[in-house]
């Protein structure tokens, strides 16, 4: 790192991986419940586990993004963060809101709208928190010496993510309207502005890791985020097929969501091409693994598997089945989980001064988590296709179908164990780095003489 | 070859155009389609109270409605037609977990009035025009 205030990123990363481990725990609770072992039902019913699992996902990814922004913006703007203490306060208050929300979910206190379960009073606290975060980032950028494209794309993604949270806070009497605007948040986040954030982080990593000229990387960054919005905004239509709005969305949503993989394909080609074009080889091999990994897995999980069931003719049958869970898991892991991991892997040696660039544990963490997640995706996929056929095609009763599917959840839990082992190894490596050190400031400059 | 400023124009221009189209289509849906397709005139106090209960208890955390939810418990869009009022109310008012085939539902023990509100909400949901969803099974067992 170059600036002392970048150290705050470390604490965001630590909080993120802590919440990830909690998320995985709740995932196991649901996996077992689906196998028929729901011993915790009285204390943690499925809807509690589900809301906790998905909300922890959103929160840890956001913490990862925020940490990355606190690391990237000072370097790109060439100055210390304004108000470092406020950044720490922002982290602590964000975690407090999260903890209160999760305790609430165990006490039937929530707003049961898929992914946006946080109750309204806490929503306002989230808004204040995110405004504080944005205030620090944007002021730093404004006062900085330089405003790079990478920093602007990242900041724009964060700003729009905050703005798009608001439509989810409007009350509607009509379930269709409620659903319509809920997707403005959920879809336009994950298939819109989050891709901007991902693109910004990816560009920063590629500039650092490959040494390719910034102008070249940033030009392609524009193309990628351009493709994202070109396809993703109207691609929102794939959530509007069957919720009570008109048939025009079948056409618009169908065509544009079929184009959505293009942005991810461009991202994968871009990352690989920059890696091959780059003349320097950064010694942080693991960061390179994760960076190329995220580009490829995002294309597979978010791009291809999403495309597989996005046409209205297909979605008519797969909508509201485990096929969605198949796509959801690899998409979130590949695109957003892995980009956060890439960044943490890149940043840790720079923050702490310990150069654990290529360790056995680190390698195992990468391969086990990724192979485990691919296995989980396959288990969900098989269960989903079987569910579609039995329930939607032959009309077998829901509960009877679910009993037929139990065996697939055994496979899910098995592969999830592999995934979790990878994550545990990653966490062990994280703690081996120790805490951020002042001596690490400027250490990257020495590195330039090594490679 | 593409220059950086051309790439930026592509990004900003493409975003502005698609977003404008998206807003226009959304406006059209909300003003012209939703009132008719969802029978907005049938949204009485009972249905609205039912929706509030639906959210307050995170029913979507297990069930799905309009295909949206968690797939752990049955899709409820057409449940009124499929099971009828008596069955639904029995499940909602039960003091012990309703557990067909062993999979447990939280024992909410709703009052008669609350159960009526939820039934009204589900009945309304069943009549919304969902462009043909859920599909009718067409393969012989």
């Amino acid at each position: 790192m170059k600036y002392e205030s970048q150290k705050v990123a470390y604490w965001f990363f630590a909080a993120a991986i802590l919440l990830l481990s909690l998320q995985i725990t709740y995932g196991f609770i649901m996996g077992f419940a689906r196998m028929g072992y729901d011993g915790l039902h009285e204390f943690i019913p499925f809807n509690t586990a589900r809301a906790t699992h998905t909300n922890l996902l959103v929160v840890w990814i956001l913490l990862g993004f925020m940490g990355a922004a606190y690391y990237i913006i000072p370097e790109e703007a060439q100055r210390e963060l304004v108000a470092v203490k406020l950044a720490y306060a922002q982290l602590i208050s964000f975690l407090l809101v999260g903890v209160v929300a999760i305790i609430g979910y165990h006490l039937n206190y929530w707003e049961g709208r898929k992914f946006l379960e946080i109750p309204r009073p806490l929503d306002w606290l989230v808004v204040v928190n995110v405004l504080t975060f944005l205030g620090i980032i944007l002021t730093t950028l404004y006062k900085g010496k330089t405003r790079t494209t990478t920093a602007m794309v990242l900041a724009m993604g964060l700003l729009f993510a905050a703005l798009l949270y608001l439509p989810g806070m409007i009350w509607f009497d009509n379930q269709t309207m409620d659903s319509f605007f809920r997707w403005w948040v959920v879809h336009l986040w994950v298939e819109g502005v989050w891709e901007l954030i991902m693109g910004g982080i990816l560009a920063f990593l590629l500039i650092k890791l490959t040494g390719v000229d910034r102008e070249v990387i940033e030009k392609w960054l524009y193309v990628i985020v351009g493709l994202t919005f070109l396809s993703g905004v109207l691609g929102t239509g794939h959530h509007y097929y069957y919720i009570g709005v008109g048939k025009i969305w079948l056409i618009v949503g169908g065509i544009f969501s079929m184009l959505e993989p293009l942005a991810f394909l461009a991202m994968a080609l871009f990352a690989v091409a920059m890696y091959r074009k780059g003349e320097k080889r950064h010694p942080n091999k693991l960061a390179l693994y994760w960076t190329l990994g995220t580009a490829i897995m995002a294309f597979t999980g978010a791009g291809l598997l999403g495309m597989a069931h996005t046409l209205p003719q297909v979605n008519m049958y797969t909508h509201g089945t485990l096929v969605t869970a198949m796509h959801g898991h690899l998409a979130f892991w590949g695109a957003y989980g892995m980009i956060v991991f890439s960044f943490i892997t890149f940043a840790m040696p720079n923050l702490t001064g310990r150069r654990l660039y290529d360790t056995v544990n680190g390698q195992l963490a990468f391969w086990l988590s990724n192979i485990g997640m691919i296995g989980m995706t396959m288990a969900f996929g098989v269960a989903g296709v079987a569910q579609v056929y039995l329930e939607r095609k032959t009309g077998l009763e829901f509960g009877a179908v679910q009993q037929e599917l139990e065996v697939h959840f055994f496979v899910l839990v098995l592969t999830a164990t592999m995934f979790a082992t990878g994550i545990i190894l990653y966490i062990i490596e994280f703690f081996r780095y120790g805490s951020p050190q002042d001596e690490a400031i400027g250490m990257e400059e020495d590195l330039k003489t090594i490679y | 070859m593409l220059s950086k400023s051309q790439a930026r124009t592509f990004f900003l221009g493409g975003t502005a155009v698609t977003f404008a189209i998206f807003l226009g289509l959304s406006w059209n849906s909300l003003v012209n389609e939703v009132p008719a397709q969802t029978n907005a005139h049938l949204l009485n106090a009972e249905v609205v109270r039912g929706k509030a209960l639906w959210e307050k208890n995170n029913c979507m955390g297990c069930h799905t409605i309009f295909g949206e939810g968690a797939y752990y418990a049955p899709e409820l869009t057409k449940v009124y037609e499929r099971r009828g009022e008596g069955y639904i109310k029995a499940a909602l008012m039960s003091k012990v977990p309703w557990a067909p085939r062993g999979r447990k539902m939280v024992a909410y023990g709703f009052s008669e009035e609350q159960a009526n509100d939820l039934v009204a909400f589900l009945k309304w949901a069943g009549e919304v025009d969902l462009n043909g969803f859920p599909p009718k099974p067409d393969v012989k067992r």
Side-chain angles (χ1 to χ4, degrees):
Chain A
M1 64 183 159
K2 291 187 184 136
Y3 300 93
E4 200 198 339
S5 55
Q6 286 176 295
K7 284 198 294 190
V8 67
Y10 172 88
W11 300 102
F12 278 81
F13 298 151
I17 60 170
L18 180 80
L19 295 188
L20 165 63
S21 52
L22 205 57
Q23 187 206 350
I24 294 171
T25 311
Y26 279 84
F28 273 107
I29 293 173
M30 285 190 283
F32 280 110
R34 284 191 179 275
M35 274 163 71
Y37 303 105
D38 61 348
L40 290 172
H41 173 80
E42 219 176 299
F43 316 101
I44 310 176
F46 191 88
N47 57 353
T48 296
R50 155 89 186 197
T52 309
H53 184 72
T54 52
N55 281 257
L56 280 171
L57 165 73
V58 175
V59 173
W60 85 258
I61 299 277
L62 285 178
L63 284 170
F65 286 167
M66 287 172 176
Y70 281 137
Y71 186 100
I72 292 173
I73 296 297
E75 272 191 30
E76 295 287 297
Q78 299 186 37
R79 62 157 292 146
E80 294 282 357
L81 285 173
V82 297
V84 186
K85 278 189 187 144
L86 199 58
Y88 283 102
Q90 186 245 325
L91 170 65
I92 294 164
S93 58
F94 198 62
L95 285 175
L96 277 178
V97 172
V99 169
V100 172
I102 283 167
I103 293 172
Y105 297 166
H106 290 71
L107 303 171
N108 204 28
Y109 176 57
W110 44 22
E111 204 173 90
R113 300 155 69 231
K114 193 177 177 182
F115 305 123
L116 304 180
E117 287 90 349
I118 294 185
R120 198 55 49 91
L122 293 180
D123 271 337
W124 289 108
L125 293 178
V126 172
V127 170
V128 172
N129 195 282
V130 172
L131 285 178
T132 312
F133 164 74
L134 279 174
I136 299 171
I137 292 296
L138 297 178
T139 315
T140 306
L141 204 53
Y142 179 73
K143 287 189 175 171
K145 293 194 191 85
T146 46
R147 266 165 242 160
T148 63
T149 301
T150 302
M152 293 308 275
V153 169
L154 180 62
M156 197 172 152
L158 295 165
L159 178 67
F160 283 153
L163 284 177
L164 282 169
Y165 190 70
L166 302 177
M169 290 171 61
I170 314 168
W171 163 268
F172 294 103
D173 287 343
N174 189 325
Q175 179 68 22
T176 296
M177 300 277 271
D178 199 299
S179 181
F180 195 91
F181 283 104
R182 200 165 48 80
W183 290 117
W184 277 36
V185 189
V186 180
H187 175 93
L188 291 178
W189 264 20
V190 302
E191 281 149 275
V193 295
W194 279 26
E195 282 184 57
L196 246 68
I197 300 171
M198 181 190 177
I201 298 175
L202 190 65
F204 179 84
L205 285 171
L206 289 171
I207 290 168
K208 296 285 174 183
L209 292 172
T210 67
V212 174
D213 183 44
R214 176 184 282 276
E215 286 300 300
V216 176
I217 287 185
E218 290 182 340
K219 176 174 80 182
W220 292 111
L221 176 62
Y222 272 135
V223 175
I224 288 166
V225 293
L227 285 172
T228 297
F229 276 161
L230 206 59
S231 59
V233 174
L234 287 168
T236 314
H238 65 194
H239 296 288
Y240 294 164
Y241 296 161
Y242 310 118
I243 64 164
V245 291
K247 288 201 166 91
I248 180 90
W249 293 107
L250 300 181
I251 299 163
V252 175
I255 292 172
F256 283 89
S257 65
M258 279 304 274
L259 298 175
E260 278 185 35
L262 280 181
F264 285 109
L265 176 65
M267 226 183 271
L269 293 175
F270 164 69
V272 174
M274 292 305 125
Y275 166 67
R276 296 177 63 154
K277 190 177 156 94
E279 279 162 12
K280 68 175 181 184
R281 285 284 171 266
H282 194 283
N284 194 339
K285 223 174 147 183
L286 286 170
L288 197 62
Y289 270 58
W290 283 104
T291 305
L292 294 179
T294 188
I296 293 165
M297 294 288 266
F299 171 60
T300 316
L304 286 182
L305 291 183
M307 192 173 80
H309 65 133
T310 199
L311 279 180
Q313 299 90 323
V314 179
N315 198 253
M316 166 71 93
Y317 290 93
T318 60
H319 180 49
T321 67
L322 290 159
V323 170
T324 312
M326 161 203 69
H327 159 55
H329 277 79
L330 199 64
F332 272 99
W333 168 249
Y336 302 123
M338 285 181 76
I339 191 74
V340 170
F341 270 47
S342 305
F343 200 82
I344 297 177
T345 312
F346 166 76
M348 285 304 279
N350 303 338
L351 287 165
T352 62
R354 290 196 71 182
R355 291 173 176 160
L356 305 176
Y357 287 143
D358 188 12
T359 62
V360 176
N361 273 354
Q363 288 274 353
L364 275 175
F366 177 81
W367 291 109
L368 284 177
S369 58
N370 276 295
I371 296 170
M373 183 51 86
I374 292 171
M376 288 166 65
T377 306
M378 289 167 85
F380 271 123
V382 175
V385 172
Q387 183 191 5
V388 166
Y389 190 79
L390 294 174
E391 194 182 320
R392 297 273 163 88
K393 295 294 278 183
T394 73
L396 198 60
E397 199 265 329
F398 179 89
V401 175
Q402 292 295 312
Q403 284 180 328
E404 296 295 327
L405 301 182
E406 281 175 4
V407 60
H408 301 300
F409 286 93
F410 175 69
V411 180
L412 179 81
V413 166
L414 216 61
T415 48
T417 307
M418 189 173 176
F419 173 75
T421 311
I423 300 300
I424 290 167
L425 288 172
Y426 191 90
I427 295 173
I428 292 173
E429 284 301 283
F430 184 89
F431 286 110
R432 277 218 307 152
Y433 276 108
S435 54
Q437 303 296 330
D438 284 336
E439 293 85 73
I441 298 169
M443 205 189 75
E444 280 161 281
E445 297 305 311
D446 315 341
L447 211 60
K448 295 221 168 81
T449 56
I450 304 174
Y451 68 95
Chain B
M1 194 59 185
L2 186 78
S3 73
K4 192 172 168 182
S5 72
Q6 285 170 327
R8 184 172 54 224
T9 310
F10 165 71
F11 164 56
L12 294 174
T15 303
V17 171
T18 49
F19 213 80
I21 298 173
F22 178 68
L23 289 178
L25 285 172
S26 294
W27 180 259
N28 176 55
S29 284
L30 299 177
V31 173
N32 299 322
E33 295 166 355
V34 173
Q37 275 186 254
T38 67
N39 306 307
H41 60 283
L42 298 179
L43 280 170
N44 57 26
E46 240 185 339
V47 176
V48 174
R49 280 200 306 268
K51 177 180 180 276
L53 277 173
W54 169 268
E55 276 179 22
K56 198 167 170 291
N57 295 287
N58 193 14
C59 305
M60 236 187 195
C62 295
H63 292 279
T64 46
I65 192 157
F66 301 169
E68 295 179 343
Y71 351 115
Y72 185 69
E75 159 67 46
L76 295 183
T77 309
K78 299 281 180 198
V79 71
Y80 184 84
E81 178 186 316
R82 193 168 66 236
R83 297 288 195 190
E85 191 172 336
Y87 182 99
I88 302 171
K89 280 174 75 174
L92 289 170
M93 292 167 69
S94 171
K95 298 265 195 280
V96 291
W98 193 260
R101 297 176 199 263
R103 187 171 281 187
K104 292 192 197 98
M105 174 169 157
V106 175
Y108 288 103
F110 287 116
S111 69
E112 176 97 36
E113 199 197 349
Q114 288 174 317
N116 283 335
D117 290 343
L118 274 163
V119 167
F121 171 66
L122 292 170
K123 183 167 182 280
W124 168 82
E127 287 162 4
V128 174
D129 174 5
L130 298 177
N131 297 335
F133 182 85
K136 300 250 178 308
D138 55 2
V139 175
K140 272 218 173 107
R141 258 186 271 163

